[in-house]
Amino acid sequence: MLAALPVLALGGAFLSPPAIASATPAVPAPNAPAAARIDLVLDLSGSMNENDAGGQTRLAAARQAVTRIIDTAPEQAPLGLRVYGATYPGQDKKQGCADTQQVLPVTPMDKTARADAKKQVAGFKAVGFTPIGVSLREAAKDLGPSGERRIILVSDGEDTCAPPPPCDVARELKAQGVDLAVDVIGFRTPSSARSQLKCIAGATGGSYADAGDADSLTANLSTLFRKEWRTYHATGKPVEGSLAGCQDAPLVAPGQYLDKFTGGRDLYYRVKKRPDQQLQVSATAVAEGGYDRGSLITVAAGPPVKDGKPRDWLREFDQSMGWANIITTGGRSKPGAGEDKPAPDDTGCIVIENSVTKAGDKPMQVELLVGIADESTRETGARTPQPRTGADAEGGFSFNSATPIGPGTHRQSIAVGEAPFWRVELKAGQKLTVKAGVDVPADFPTSATTGWGLTVYNAKREAAECSSKAGATELLAGRTGRIERVCGPWQITGEGAGSPDAKGYDVPGTYYIQAQVAEPAKEAKGIVVPISLTVDISGTPSADTGPVFNFGDDAAQGPAPAGATPTGSQAATPANDDSSLAKTFVPAGIAAAALILAGAAFYAVKRRRTP
């Protein structure tokens, strides 16, 4: 069975819990656990003055990378900064090996702390020794004795002050508690020092990454911080759907809502739709512990019928392939739906059928997206966010926080298990091709279930087939170096104009792109790898632009610029939610293994139905 895995059509199999982009701070739920306390330990030894970091000194590159972290840190994220080798330029080893200072206490990054931190970074000088072991001990004190704590160490060489040997110090710190780990970036590091730095990360359960220039240092450092600040965060206006059917259901307008599955109960909502309007309903269920294979989510809408279940306007469903973290599906009503049997007062019903949870299960978050299209929305037009480039094009971690990008190649680094989202706007008549590449390091601990995944979701938030010849996920099977996956080219057609081979590319609008490296091996968790995403949009848009849906003021508008504060639906979380910003990241490898083994049956069970 494993021999056939590389060609399985997994579609959206590698779905990890999306998390908020670092540039989009979120309002945590009242019962959410405290964010991890992070202390950045930066090497300012004399070797950082060398001018080999992409045309600038290593010191200048470090300033750039750390400033980026300070600019994008969420306000509630406790961040501290310690340096070593920064003040003593002499040769006395005793003095040089005591040269470590906390220049910024571990504190939330409010406006004052952010300004102070940037001032400190601007004044950095690199002059002295490399007391890594001593600095790690002091950093542990900076973070306090309890709670989730992480040290992120950036060094361009090995310790010049042992004893104490840095790896022994790392083991010592780990023995203090499981909540303290050290992530390490080796910056222009020789092989002799790399083994020492990897030992520090490995001894504490942290991760290690190499950086060869300013851009890779910035990318890798940002990724390590994202790993601590991005936990799954479903967004939406709080709503409580009826468990008893349509009669008592709340009325929902266009927008994104956040509800939860309890037990095995379905969720009902009322919605108004005139016969001349089209309705879109999309639902995304989010699991903290993954899904049982065969779990099913269905959305349907229309006037209630005899069994109390609406279905005349639309009905779509999707089935889990195993330990996926989300199941997402959506549908749109056909033009004129309901004209033959108009709903009383134009009020119909939406149901999200829950074939996922059972009685006694922990409540599970569910996002509900509702949109309406008619002549007035077509005249108003859709709001299209400005595409981003460079560092600002780092992927977001949910549909709503997906980063808007345009044609071209976008580069960043991701940690193993991350699954960032991007979005592109497409019109009927255009063709979409997406190519994603990953650079797998020679020492990456691959196994038979290591996968490189690329998934494209259409404007209804359905996973669309990646390619007519192969699935969306490719097993690495011990391969290293450059590995690429391609989706498309696919013709975007008008609704109802697509052929059976369209596989979901028959809906103009916002398309979502997701990439991921998934690996079940514990030692691979958090490893940082560089990726690239190339988007090509060709063809001439047709004169018929199709329906333009209104999804409310805040839904699906993409992440805010750095430092912005979320408003409306993106800032809201239910008061009784106990998992927003919580530690809901399921080990991606477990999901990967189960999903791959189940992938052969994917297209046999995933179907689309319309009345």
Side-chain angles (χ1 to χ4, degrees):
M1 189 170 184
L2 284 173
L5 289 175
V7 296
L8 295 181
L10 297 185
F14 281 78
L15 301 181
S16 283
I20 56 172
S22 58
T24 312
V27 179
N31 298 324
R37 294 167 61 81
I38 302 174
D39 207 18
L40 173 60
V41 178
L42 185 62
D43 183 350
L44 294 183
S45 60
S47 57
M48 290 289 285
N49 290 312
E50 294 186 17
N51 189 12
D52 61 358
Q56 60 182 321
T57 65
R58 298 178 187 178
L59 175 60
R63 286 197 190 107
Q64 171 185 311
V66 176
T67 299
R68 171 74 179 168
I69 293 300
I70 294 168
D71 282 338
T72 58
E75 288 190 1
Q76 72 271 18
L79 171 64
L81 180 60
R82 173 171 287 274
V83 297
Y84 60 80
T87 63
Y88 178 68
Q91 299 301 313
D92 185 285
K93 187 172 182 179
K94 183 176 181 180
Q95 292 189 60
C97 291
D99 183 9
T100 177
Q101 301 85 32
Q102 184 185 30
V103 297
L104 179 70
V106 180
T107 185
M109 283 285 98
D110 59 20
K111 185 176 180 180
T112 300
R114 207 180 300 265
D116 183 38
K118 293 173 73 171
K119 181 179 179 180
Q120 294 284 352
V121 172
F124 282 168
K125 294 182 180 179
V127 296
F129 284 68
T130 312
I132 296 176
V134 171
S135 298
L136 291 177
R137 278 180 178 167
E138 294 302 312
K141 297 176 184 178
D142 298 342
L143 290 167
S146 62
E148 185 179 356
R149 299 162 292 156
R150 297 196 79 91
I151 296 169
I152 298 181
L153 169 67
V154 178
S155 179
D156 72 342
E158 57 188 334
D159 191 300
T160 58
C161 292
C167 203
D168 286 355
V169 173
R171 297 186 184 99
E172 170 191 311
L173 297 180
K174 185 62 177 177
Q176 295 176 5
V178 296
D179 289 334
L180 176 62
V182 183
D183 296 313
V184 184
I185 296 178
F187 186 32
R188 303 288 297 178
T189 309
S191 57
S192 58
R194 189 177 293 117
S195 59
Q196 183 184 82
L197 297 177
K198 285 186 175 181
C199 180
I200 294 170
T204 61
S207 55
Y208 175 85
D210 283 306
D213 55 28
D215 289 342
S216 59
L217 176 62
T218 300
N220 290 348
L221 192 58
S222 295
T223 299
L224 290 175
F225 275 85
R226 285 200 317 266
K227 191 175 65 171
E228 303 312 319
W229 290 333
R230 287 176 175 168
T231 50
Y232 181 78
H233 183 70
T235 57
K237 299 174 183 178
V239 67
E240 292 186 8
S242 170
L243 302 178
C246 297
Q247 183 175 355
D248 299 324
L251 183 67
V252 292
Q256 181 153 309
Y257 300 86
L258 188 59
D259 204 342
K260 58 183 180 294
F261 280 152
T262 55
R265 308 295 295 275
D266 300 337
L267 296 172
Y268 292 84
Y269 314 87
R270 290 183 299 127
V271 64
K272 284 184 174 291
K273 185 194 82 70
R274 300 190 309 267
D276 63 301
Q277 294 178 321
Q278 285 184 257
L279 172 71
Q280 174 173 325
V281 180
S282 302
T284 303
V286 184
E288 293 186 21
Y291 290 104
D292 292 332
R293 182 177 176 180
S295 296
L296 189 71
I297 181 174
T298 305
V299 294
V305 293
K306 290 183 179 180
D307 64 358
K309 294 290 183 71
R311 60 176 59 92
D312 285 347
W313 291 344
L314 64 91
R315 181 177 173 84
E316 297 284 344
F317 67 91
D318 198 9
Q319 186 168 3
S320 169
M321 291 77 61
W323 285 85
N325 300 109
I326 69 172
I327 305 178
T328 183
T329 191
R332 289 180 175 178
S333 64
K334 295 180 180 179
E339 289 183 350
D340 53 340
K341 298 178 181 179
D345 193 32
D346 295 325
T347 302
C349 187
I350 297 170
V351 62
I352 307 177
E353 296 179 6
N354 173 14
S355 301
V356 179
T357 65
K358 301 176 182 178
D361 287 350
K362 186 176 182 179
M364 179 182 295
Q365 289 181 313
V366 180
E367 289 181 332
L368 170 67
L369 180 69
V370 178
I372 286 287
D374 56 24
E375 286 301 319
S376 65
T377 60
R378 182 192 293 267
E379 293 171 1
T380 303
R383 289 190 295 158
T384 301
Q386 183 67 30
R388 301 188 190 173
T389 59
D392 289 334
E394 288 185 348
F397 282 81
S398 68
F399 286 113
N400 260 30
S401 64
T403 301
I405 56 175
T409 297
H410 309 273
R411 292 182 173 84
Q412 72 170 80
S413 293
I414 64 173
V416 172
E418 284 191 326
F421 281 76
W422 295 265
R423 55 180 291 187
V424 293
E425 307 302 320
L426 296 170
K427 298 178 180 179
Q430 293 183 317
K431 287 186 178 180
L432 172 67
T433 304
V434 181
K435 179 170 68 175
V438 60
D439 293 303
V440 182
D443 57 351
F444 187 85
T446 59
S447 70
T449 49
T450 307
W452 167 232
L454 175 63
T455 307
V456 175
Y457 302 88
N458 67 16
K460 295 187 290 187
R461 297 187 178 181
E462 293 179 299
E465 183 177 322
C466 180
S467 168
S468 60
K469 297 182 180 179
T473 303
E474 180 170 348
L475 297 186
L476 304 186
R479 296 158 57 193
T480 58
R482 182 72 173 175
I483 299 174
E484 295 183 339
R485 299 293 295 148
V486 178
C487 287
W490 286 106
Q491 179 83 35
I492 309 301
T493 62
E495 291 186 78
S499 70
D501 296 328
K503 303 300 183 184
Y505 292 85
D506 58 347
V507 185
T510 300
Y511 277 62
Y512 304 89
I513 303 164
Q514 186 184 42
Q516 181 185 31
V517 176
E519 165 54 48
K522 181 179 179 181
E523 58 269 26
K525 178 71 179 297
I527 289 180
V528 176
V529 292
I531 69 167
S532 65
L533 185 72
T534 300
V535 175
D536 180 71
I537 300 174
S538 60
T540 302
S542 66
D544 182 10
T545 59
V548 176
F549 281 83
N550 168 28
F551 293 107
D553 292 335
D554 302 305
Q557 294 303 314
T565 301
T567 59
S569 66
Q570 295 198 47
T573 52
N576 59 352
D577 170 57
D578 59 359
S579 59
S580 178
L581 273 183
K583 302 173 185 176
T584 60
F585 189 94
V586 181
I590 297 176
L595 291 171
I596 290 171
L597 292 174
F602 172 59
Y603 282 109
V605 298
K606 185 184 191 312
R607 308 183 302 278
R608 296 184 177 86
R609 298 188 302 189
T610 55

